[in-house]
């Protein structure tokens, strides 16, 4: 497995084109209305994106996070419990990264963190951190999570819990 840790040069990236379906557009519009990340006042909010299996939740979430989050200066912390979900999400962010060109963003830094990828100790100032729960929720992960998250109140951060129904388990 090849790891890509260099920043993505948006201008030189292949423009990945996949049309949003009507239900995905509706989901993105609902997320924008609920969170209003382009507004000046940032407050802690919780939300849940619910879509049927196979309807493109990851594609939709990544599209929204890039164009309504990263485009407005937010960093992303995406937590997942399985290796396949980390790989899928990492690939999706990389595929859709060229969409940031329309927002004047030239570079994007993405890091996958898991037992098969990079370590929490290597996470520093990335725009998008895609982490396994086991990498974050242990004594070594806790040491680096503060650096990854930044100073409270100073960083604009969106935390995503993939497969959120697992979040009630003690390991989360």
């Amino acid at each position: 497995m090849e790891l890509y840790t260099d920043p993505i040069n948006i201008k030189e990236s292949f423009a990945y084109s996949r049309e949003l379906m009507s239900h995905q557009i509706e989901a993105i519009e609902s997320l924008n209305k609920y969170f209003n990340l382009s507004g000046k006042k940032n407050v802690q909010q919780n939300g849940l994106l619910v879509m049927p299996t196979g309807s493109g939740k990851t594609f939709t979430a990544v599209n929204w996070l890039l164009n309504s989050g990263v485009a407005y200066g937010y960093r992303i912390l995406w937590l997942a419990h399985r290796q396949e979900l980390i790989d899928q999400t990492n690939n999706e962010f990389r595929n859709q990264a060229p969409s940031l060109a329309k927002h004047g963003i030239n570079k994007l830094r993405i890091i996958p963190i898991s037992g098969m990828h990079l370590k929490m100790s290597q996470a520093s100032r990335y725009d998008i951190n895609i982490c396994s729960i086991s990498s974050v929720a242990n004594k070594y992960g806790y040491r680096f999570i503060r650096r990854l998250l930044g100073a409270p109140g100073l960083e604009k951060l969106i935390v995503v819990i993939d497969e959120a129904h697992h979040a009630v388990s003690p390991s989360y």
Side-chain angles (χ1 to χ4, degrees), residues 23-24 26-31 35 46-52 55-65 78 160-164:
H23 68 279
Q24 294 167 328
E26 183 180 340
I28 289 170
E29 288 171 351
S30 294
L31 288 166
F35 287 105
N46 301 314
L48 191 63
L49 175 61
V50 179
M51 295 170 64
S55 62
K57 284 183 289 295
T58 302
F59 175 79
T60 303
V62 167
N63 186 285
W64 178 74
L65 289 165
W78 184 293
V160 175
I161 300 175
D162 198 347
E163 301 281 338

Side-chain angles (χ1 to χ4, degrees), residues 5-152:
T5 57
D6 291 337
I8 297 170
N9 185 329
I10 303 298
K11 290 181 180 179
E12 295 176 5
S13 294
F14 172 73
Y16 177 74
S17 178
R18 180 172 152 199
E19 295 292 320
L20 289 165
M21 292 193 243
S22 60
H23 68 279
Q24 294 167 328
I25 292 169
E26 183 180 340
I28 289 170
E29 288 171 351
S30 294
L31 288 166
N32 283 332
K33 183 177 178 182
Y34 181 77
F35 287 105
N36 189 24
L37 298 178
S38 63
K40 293 181 181 177
K41 186 176 184 180
N42 297 313
V43 296
Q44 184 174 348
Q45 291 181 291
N46 301 314
L48 191 63
L49 175 61
V50 179
M51 295 170 64
T53 301
S55 62
K57 284 183 289 295
T58 302
F59 175 79
T60 303
V62 167
N63 186 285
W64 178 74
L65 289 165
L66 288 172
N67 293 292
S68 298
V70 174
Y72 290 101
Y74 283 83
R75 292 174 53 228
I76 310 300
L77 172 58
W78 184 293
L79 302 171
H81 71 286
R82 287 194 351 237
Q83 188 64 45
E84 296 82 10
L85 295 174
I86 293 167
D87 292 336
Q88 175 191 10
T89 304
N90 185 38
N91 290 334
E92 195 60 56
F93 271 111
R94 291 179 182 287
N95 287 338
Q96 291 192 46
S99 70
L100 292 172
K102 65 185 172 206
H103 300 288
I105 296 174
N106 298 322
K107 293 200 185 281
L108 183 69
R109 295 187 66 200
I110 302 171
I111 185 170
I113 300 170
S114 76
M116 295 185 68
H117 293 107
L118 300 169
K119 306 274 185 242
M120 284 294 297
S121 61
Q122 295 169 288
S124 178
R125 308 309 302 160
Y126 282 82
D127 302 300
I128 299 169
N129 301 273
I130 306 163
C131 306
S132 71
I133 289 297
S134 60
S135 293
V136 174
N138 65 53
K139 64 182 179 179
Y140 301 110
Y142 289 141
R143 181 189 313 168
F144 299 101
I145 195 75
R146 185 174 209 55
R147 181 177 69 186
L148 185 146
L149 295 175

